[in-house]
Amino acid sequence: MHEFGTVIAIKESLIQVEIPRSKRCRGCHACTPLNGKDSMTLFALNDCQAAIGDQVQIQIQESGELSASLLLYGIPLAVFLISLVLFALFLPEIPALLLSFLILSLAYLAIHFLSKRLNRERYMPRAVLILPFVK
């Protein structure tokens, strides 16, 4: 997937890019909304050596997007459902549900700490091309 935006800041090997908000990314909160719903910012790897003010093409890897979604939503959902079924075999409904939510919280905590060890560049958007300035 490709997006286009303007570089508004540079921080080490990352650039902060302001992009128009598209229909596809309305539900995803990977970007930070700006002044309403028309534009947002995201951090991207600066593969094209862009400078502040440059118009860039942002490439978002779909495989990384799918892997990140599975990591953030699929695994915790599976953990929650399995724990709910197992606890329901031995406990009344309310305690089983509460313990399942506790296990879900622990799963998110584990993902948070394990994600620091993952190769984040695989999931990061990349600025791949500086676009010519058009007036």
Side-chain angles (χ1 to χ4, degrees), residues 31-133:
C31 308
T32 307
L34 283 179
N35 304 331
K37 299 181 180 179
D38 294 340
S39 63
M40 60 190 154
T41 65
L42 60 78
F43 284 95
L45 295 170
N46 193 3
D47 290 350
C48 62
Q49 305 305 314
I52 293 175
D54 286 345
Q55 298 287 320
V56 294
Q57 177 181 355
I58 302 294
Q59 181 178 8
I60 301 171
Q61 300 293 335
E62 290 186 22
S63 63
E65 185 179 335
L66 184 61
S67 298
S69 296
L70 179 65
L71 183 66
L72 290 175
Y73 303 115
I75 293 173
L77 178 63
V79 166
F80 176 74
L81 292 175
I82 290 169
S83 65
L84 183 61
V85 169
L86 291 176
F87 288 137
L89 295 174
F90 304 106
L91 298 171
E93 292 174 1
I94 300 299
L97 185 63
L98 293 175
L99 281 173
S100 295
F101 277 118
L102 176 66
I103 296 296
L104 176 66
S105 301
L106 292 174
Y108 272 116
L109 189 62
I111 288 170
H112 172 72
F113 287 114
L114 291 175
S115 70
K116 293 180 181 181
R117 294 184 179 189
L118 292 176
N119 180 8
R120 291 183 180 206
E121 288 187 8
R122 177 178 171 199
Y123 304 106
M124 294 272 314
R126 295 177 174 274
V128 293
L129 181 66
I130 299 173
L131 302 172
F133 186 70

